[in-house]
């Protein structure tokens, strides 16, 4: 999978330089993150439903290597300030990801909901997990990506633009991470 993503990164850089429309320039992004805003790529976030300010911050952090993921760092490196705004505005137009058809195991859903309430996830991410300005939409995000991201905040290998998530995740168990990811991915 790594070679495929690296090839996409180089294709992005090459196509972005010669692309005329924004649609052509974002095509390589959608190859991993999902044509309709919903990723089908393992451990890759769905971008649909993200607000432009949040997407802008993430793209800026990738470009400046304040958030480290080599492929995204390489893809964001050539983007100008105007490009960052155009891409983040485009991302904000993508449709929200849909919940899986499977409503989920009731016991796991209940444990996930209890963890949300205990750790007040809905304070920052909103009761419907739609996010806000600089807080991501997490409703119906890929379960594997949610679990991976929460675990990275917990072990402090992922850094946000502030320490809020690391502070919150310090109290959360591995079992709760699995239940939170399961619940939020299936939130209705």
């Amino acid at each position: 999978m790594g070679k495929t993503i690296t090839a996409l990164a180089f294709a992005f850089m090459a196509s972005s330089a010669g692309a005329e429309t924004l649609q052509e320039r974002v095509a390589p992004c959608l190859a991993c993150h999902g044509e309709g805003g919903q990723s089908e790529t393992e451990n890759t976030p769905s971008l649909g439903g993200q607000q432009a300010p949040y997407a802008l911050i993430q793209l800026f952090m990738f470009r400046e290597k304040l958030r480290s993921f080599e492929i995204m760092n390489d893809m964001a490196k050539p983007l100008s300030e105007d490009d960052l705004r155009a891409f983040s505005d485009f991302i904000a137009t993508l449709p929200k990801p849909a919940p899986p058809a499977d409503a989920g195991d009731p016991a796991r859903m209940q444990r996930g909901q209890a963890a949300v309430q205990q750790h007040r996830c809905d304070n920052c991410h909103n009761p419907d997990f739609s996010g806000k300005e600089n807080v991501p939409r997490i409703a119906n995000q890929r379960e594997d990506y949610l679990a991976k991201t929460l675990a990275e905040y917990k072990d402090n290998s992922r850094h946000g633009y502030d320490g809020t998530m690391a502070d919150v995740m310090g109290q959360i168990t591995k079992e709760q991470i699995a239940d939170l990811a399961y619940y939020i991915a299936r939130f209705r």
Side-chain angles (χ1 to χ4, degrees):
M1 184 165 111
K3 289 181 182 180
T4 302
I5 293 175
T6 302
L8 285 170
F10 288 117
F12 168 78
M13 290 184 277
S15 68
S16 289
E20 294 184 29
T21 69
L22 182 60
Q23 298 300 102
E24 292 171 328
R25 293 186 71 199
V26 300
C29 304
L30 301 179
C32 292
H33 291 283
E35 292 278 331
Q38 191 157 355
S39 173
E40 293 183 21
T41 306
E42 183 179 354
N43 287 316
T44 302
S46 297
L47 298 180
Q50 296 299 344
Q51 294 188 34
Y54 174 75
L56 178 64
I57 291 167
Q58 297 308 304
L59 289 169
F60 174 81
M61 288 177 66
F62 281 125
R63 186 185 72 185
E64 302 302 315
K65 295 187 178 181
L66 299 171
R67 184 169 170 197
S68 185
F69 184 61
E70 187 176 350
I71 289 134
M72 285 301 300
N73 298 134
D74 290 345
M75 292 181 95
K77 185 178 180 177
L79 300 178
S80 69
E81 298 297 316
D82 288 340
D83 291 335
L84 294 177
R85 280 193 266 317
F87 277 57
S88 60
D89 287 346
F90 174 81
I91 288 167
T93 68
L94 294 172
K96 300 180 278 192
D102 168 23
D105 173 64
R108 285 195 75 189
M109 293 296 284
Q110 188 174 26
R111 288 193 310 266
Q113 184 177 26
V116 163
Q117 291 169 346
Q118 178 185 357
H119 300 289
R120 302 182 346 197
C121 306
D122 53 357
N123 278 359
C124 294
H125 293 278
N126 287 334
D128 64 354
F129 306 111
S130 61
K132 43 187 135 178
E133 295 274 318
N134 61 344
V135 177
R137 173 188 175 79
I138 55 175
N140 311 129
Q141 187 55 263
R142 289 184 56 90
E143 181 180 352
D144 59 347
Y145 179 75
L146 287 167
K148 175 182 172 289
T149 300
L150 292 171
E152 288 172 346
Y153 277 123
K154 180 165 181 62
D155 72 16
N156 212 20
S157 63
R158 180 174 180 153
H159 305 285
Y161 43 87
D162 67 22
T164 303
M165 282 300 296
D167 290 343
V168 170
M169 292 307 298
Q171 313 164 35
I172 296 177
T173 67
K174 288 182 181 181
E175 294 78 19
Q176 285 180 315
I177 287 173
D179 289 336
L180 282 167
Y182 187 86
Y183 174 73
I184 293 167
R186 289 164 180 77
F187 184 77
R188 297 184 191 289

